[in-house]
Amino acid sequence: MAEAADFQGMKPSPARRWLRRTASLIVGAPLITGLLAGPAALSAQAGQAAKAPTGSRTVDVSLDTLSPSAPVEGDTLSISGTLTNKGKKAVTDAEVDLRVGPTLSGRGAIDEAAERTGYLPGSDPAKLGGKYSVKVSKLAPGVSQDFTLAVPVDKLDLDDEGVYQLGVSLTGKTSDYAYDQVLGIQRTFLPWQPEDSKGKTKLTFLWPLIASAHVTAETGSDEQQTPVFSNDDLALELAPGGRLEQLVSLGSPLPVTWVIDPDLLASVDAMTKNYRVRVGDKTVAGTNQAIAKKWLNDLEGAVKDGKVVALPFADPDLASIAHRGKNVSGTLSHLQTATEVAGKTVETVLHVKPSTDFAWPVDGAIDPSVVDVATSAGAHKVIARSDSLDETGGLPYTPTSARPIGGGTTAVVADHRLSTAFTGDMAKAGASTLAVQKFLAQTLALTEQESDGERSIVVAPQRAPTAAQAQTMARALQALTPERWTQPLDLVAAADEKPDAQATTKVPRASQYPKKLRSQELPTQAFQDIRTTQDSLNNFQVILTQSDRVVTPFGNAINRSVSTSWRGRPLEAQRYRDSVRTYLQSLTDEVQLIAKSDVTLSGRSATIPVTVQNKLVQGVDHLVLRLTSGNATRLKLNDGGAVAEKPIQIAGGHSQSVKFDASANANGQAHVTARLFTTDNVPYGEAMTFTVKVSEVTPTVLLVIAGGLLLLVLAGIRMYTHRKRAAADGTVEGGGGEPEQPSDPRPDTGPESGAPSGPGEKVDR
């Protein structure tokens, strides 16, 4: 950016520069003497260097505390730290000294000083010495020792305002060197501003509350739809000392802009009630309601008088959508939904009205497609970063953050140096102290740059700071609280600041998008998987009588599937998408056809029953059961066609048997297919095929006929025997008929008829 021309800052007077150079030469004289000792000495030193650190890297110097971070007249500068001997030889006759000055001429000089690791005579200032040094008689190899320095500020010889080099060094001897030399040094910076600046920099600091997805698509079948969490890790972040708890408690008194993912609020709000946690194949009751309630109460109090910016629900990965997903149908509609839900969620949970007009791509990296996607859901402001929207005009200063980039869109360009100041392991006290001092130094150097007027600068730190990183950020902002060279400004106001006419407004080409960030994006297959899930959800919700019980949790889960939090976690992202799809499939399978065995029709007409089962807790409707005969010549359905349909409406937890009329024209087998469809003719579930055996004369009928014939034969024999006996007795005359006797039985069967038999039903399941 404009820091390439860092010409600002005050330099020491010529007399002071001469004194410091002379002191540096005196300190460096023993080193020159050692170098002149000859090749043997150099060879010995080289061999030792291969084994252990030597020279000014022999002892590690850690600056654990520096207070005050930005002193004023009358203060006493207190520095504490740790010395650790990394070498193989004991250090003797040593002392810890403070080295101050000269001032650094701009932001670039601060970067250069921070990159140096060893002692460099002429570049590093002379030690303060005297009674402000600390003696160390002996420091054995591998041993650490604490130290504390306390120096009145008026003894530091600070003249003009600006950023001063500040170093703490250990000078001593080892058995390899009989003379004093610098065996360890750590540099930092001391911002010096004895009086408030007339022109202060407006500083906007984003305070992100973003977490990874913890809630699944699964809910309980109870009236409250108890949510199911994939684990209970969120409670660890909300508990005292946890990452999210620290962000709220530390950010509460600070002048920051809260940038919140509404999904986090919805998840914590769900935890305040009954919730369940998945453990293997089962779920158990969650027990952290009190922790969730306290965190939400604390957050509500913290943001009550502050500015809140709501990201789209679940913080979707805008760059992944732009580069891999926007051509997959339906992807952009998810982003629109996520934006609509965002404001309502924040307002419902926190009772404040947020701004939903900002989009925040990963690391503020943009190209034309990212900007298009970022603004497609209605946002008009994009939080970019200066290492993406790089200055090309050679400005000798850092321009104001806000700038128009076309199409009515404003890019709010966060400062790269300040935004990345708190990355890394801030759990180490030394790293945290150095980060705070460098941040303060950069803000002061930025304020001292010559420009046409006051500027507005934005700091957009990492999306999910650790607890230690949050503590470090808070310390830096607390040091700026007196507003000596900065003044706070919220993000909404920063976006409305008057742009610098000379600042770049050209969005970089797609080819300039960072390769490292592109490699972390969700693959195109992820968006195709999401589309498949959405299509299944669309088909499923059509048949439900209470569709919101399914649409809301699954819609949120689909939004979580494209969250920025999945970056660097491709396998976990895939498992989450698979779990959403699998659970949805298990629900759709709860409405199904009951398998049938082959069916035998007795007679030329009959009915065929098919059973539909609904295991859901809610009723289903808008379904059609379609029966199709595979051989309409042999088996016709309903009015003589090959296809028959009947509407389906089943209450939750019930089954329904649907009967279809069928008629047969010929004996043999016919395959029949049953399948459910939605009323808009979309197939639902799997088809079921069974066989219908058609036979006009069944084995049972043959048995009946055979039995009847047998009875006729027996009756004839009986009549013949009876007549023969009567003839022998002389009772038959002229072949006349036998008189009917009262004891004779009536006929077993009625007279035969050629009329078709009535409809009947015989089903084998």
Side-chain angles (χ1 to χ4, degrees), residues 69-80:
S69 298
V72 296
E73 292 180 353
D75 285 341
T76 294
L77 185 66
S78 178
I79 302 174
S80 67

PDB file of all heavy atoms in Angstrom, residues 69-80:
ATOM      1  N   SER A  69       2.518   0.365  27.864  1.00  0.00           N
ATOM      2  CA  SER A  69       2.838   0.092  26.460  1.00  0.00           C
ATOM      3  C   SER A  69       3.154   1.367  25.695  1.00  0.00           C
ATOM      4  O   SER A  69       3.977   1.358  24.777  1.00  0.00           O
ATOM      5  CB  SER A  69       1.663  -0.634  25.787  1.00  0.00           C
ATOM      6  OG  SER A  69       1.430  -1.879  26.397  1.00  0.00           O
ATOM      7  N   ALA A  70       2.490   2.446  26.067  1.00  0.00           N
ATOM      8  CA  ALA A  70       2.727   3.745  25.435  1.00  0.00           C
ATOM      9  C   ALA A  70       2.889   4.769  26.552  1.00  0.00           C
ATOM     10  O   ALA A  70       1.939   5.441  26.947  1.00  0.00           O
ATOM     11  CB  ALA A  70       1.578   4.113  24.509  1.00  0.00           C
ATOM     12  N   PRO A  71       4.092   4.905  27.122  1.00  0.00           N
ATOM     13  CA  PRO A  71       4.286   5.763  28.297  1.00  0.00           C
ATOM     14  C   PRO A  71       4.152   7.245  27.967  1.00  0.00           C
ATOM     15  O   PRO A  71       4.243   7.664  26.808  1.00  0.00           O
ATOM     16  CB  PRO A  71       5.710   5.408  28.737  1.00  0.00           C
ATOM     17  CG  PRO A  71       6.389   4.970  27.484  1.00  0.00           C
ATOM     18  CD  PRO A  71       5.347   4.265  26.680  1.00  0.00           C
ATOM     19  N   VAL A  72       3.956   8.005  29.015  1.00  0.00           N
ATOM     20  CA  VAL A  72       3.946   9.466  28.925  1.00  0.00           C
ATOM     21  C   VAL A  72       4.938   9.996  29.959  1.00  0.00           C
ATOM     22  O   VAL A  72       5.505   9.235  30.749  1.00  0.00           O
ATOM     23  CB  VAL A  72       2.540  10.038  29.173  1.00  0.00           C
ATOM     24  CG1 VAL A  72       1.577   9.592  28.084  1.00  0.00           C
ATOM     25  CG2 VAL A  72       2.025   9.616  30.543  1.00  0.00           C
ATOM     26  N   GLU A  73       5.156  11.289  29.944  1.00  0.00           N
ATOM     27  CA  GLU A  73       6.107  11.891  30.883  1.00  0.00           C
ATOM     28  C   GLU A  73       5.698  11.600  32.325  1.00  0.00           C
ATOM     29  O   GLU A  73       4.527  11.679  32.678  1.00  0.00           O
ATOM     30  CB  GLU A  73       6.178  13.396  30.649  1.00  0.00           C
ATOM     31  CG  GLU A  73       6.814  13.764  29.313  1.00  0.00           C
ATOM     32  CD  GLU A  73       6.870  15.268  29.108  1.00  0.00           C
ATOM     33  OE1 GLU A  73       6.284  16.000  29.948  1.00  0.00           O
ATOM     34  OE2 GLU A  73       7.488  15.714  28.138  1.00  0.00           O
ATOM     35  N   GLY A  74       6.680  11.243  33.131  1.00  0.00           N
ATOM     36  CA  GLY A  74       6.430  10.923  34.526  1.00  0.00           C
ATOM     37  C   GLY A  74       6.254   9.445  34.785  1.00  0.00           C
ATOM     38  O   GLY A  74       6.265   9.007  35.942  1.00  0.00           O
ATOM     39  N   ASP A  75       6.077   8.646  33.734  1.00  0.00           N
ATOM     40  CA  ASP A  75       5.925   7.197  33.908  1.00  0.00           C
ATOM     41  C   ASP A  75       7.272   6.527  34.164  1.00  0.00           C
ATOM     42  O   ASP A  75       8.342   7.073  33.843  1.00  0.00           O
ATOM     43  CB  ASP A  75       5.294   6.565  32.662  1.00  0.00           C
ATOM     44  CG  ASP A  75       3.804   6.847  32.556  1.00  0.00           C
ATOM     45  OD1 ASP A  75       3.204   7.207  33.584  1.00  0.00           O
ATOM     46  OD2 ASP A  75       3.251   6.704  31.451  1.00  0.00           O
ATOM     47  N   THR A  76       7.195   5.340  34.709  1.00  0.00           N
ATOM     48  CA  THR A  76       8.360   4.465  34.833  1.00  0.00           C
ATOM     49  C   THR A  76       8.110   3.249  33.962  1.00  0.00           C
ATOM     50  O   THR A  76       7.092   2.560  34.109  1.00  0.00           O
ATOM     51  CB  THR A  76       8.582   4.026  36.288  1.00  0.00           C
ATOM     52  OG1 THR A  76       8.925   5.171  37.073  1.00  0.00           O
ATOM     53  CG2 THR A  76       9.706   3.010  36.378  1.00  0.00           C
ATOM     54  N   LEU A  77       9.014   3.006  33.041  1.00  0.00           N
ATOM     55  CA  LEU A  77       8.884   1.877  32.134  1.00  0.00           C
ATOM     56  C   LEU A  77       9.374   0.619  32.840  1.00  0.00           C
ATOM     57  O   LEU A  77      10.507   0.556  33.316  1.00  0.00           O
ATOM     58  CB  LEU A  77       9.699   2.122  30.861  1.00  0.00           C
ATOM     59  CG  LEU A  77       9.562   1.067  29.769  1.00  0.00           C
ATOM     60  CD1 LEU A  77       8.147   1.053  29.214  1.00  0.00           C
ATOM     61  CD2 LEU A  77      10.571   1.327  28.647  1.00  0.00           C
ATOM     62  N   SER A  78       8.507  -0.364  32.921  1.00  0.00           N
ATOM     63  CA  SER A  78       8.845  -1.621  33.586  1.00  0.00           C
ATOM     64  C   SER A  78       8.808  -2.749  32.569  1.00  0.00           C
ATOM     65  O   SER A  78       7.810  -2.918  31.858  1.00  0.00           O
ATOM     66  CB  SER A  78       7.871  -1.897  34.726  1.00  0.00           C
ATOM     67  OG  SER A  78       8.170  -3.130  35.345  1.00  0.00           O
ATOM     68  N   ILE A  79       9.894  -3.501  32.505  1.00  0.00           N
ATOM     69  CA  ILE A  79      10.009  -4.613  31.563  1.00  0.00           C
ATOM     70  C   ILE A  79      10.422  -5.856  32.332  1.00  0.00           C
ATOM     71  O   ILE A  79      11.390  -5.828  33.097  1.00  0.00           O
ATOM     72  CB  ILE A  79      11.047  -4.322  30.458  1.00  0.00           C
ATOM     73  CG1 ILE A  79      10.664  -3.053  29.694  1.00  0.00           C
ATOM     74  CG2 ILE A  79      11.162  -5.507  29.506  1.00  0.00           C
ATOM     75  CD1 ILE A  79      11.722  -2.623  28.694  1.00  0.00           C
ATOM     76  N   SER A  80       9.689  -6.933  32.138  1.00  0.00           N
ATOM     77  CA  SER A  80      10.079  -8.209  32.724  1.00  0.00           C
ATOM     78  C   SER A  80      10.171  -9.244  31.620  1.00  0.00           C
ATOM     79  O   SER A  80       9.507  -9.133  30.586  1.00  0.00           O
ATOM     80  CB  SER A  80       9.076  -8.661  33.788  1.00  0.00           C
ATOM     81  OG  SER A  80       7.830  -8.959  33.193  1.00  0.00           O
TER      82      SER A  80
END
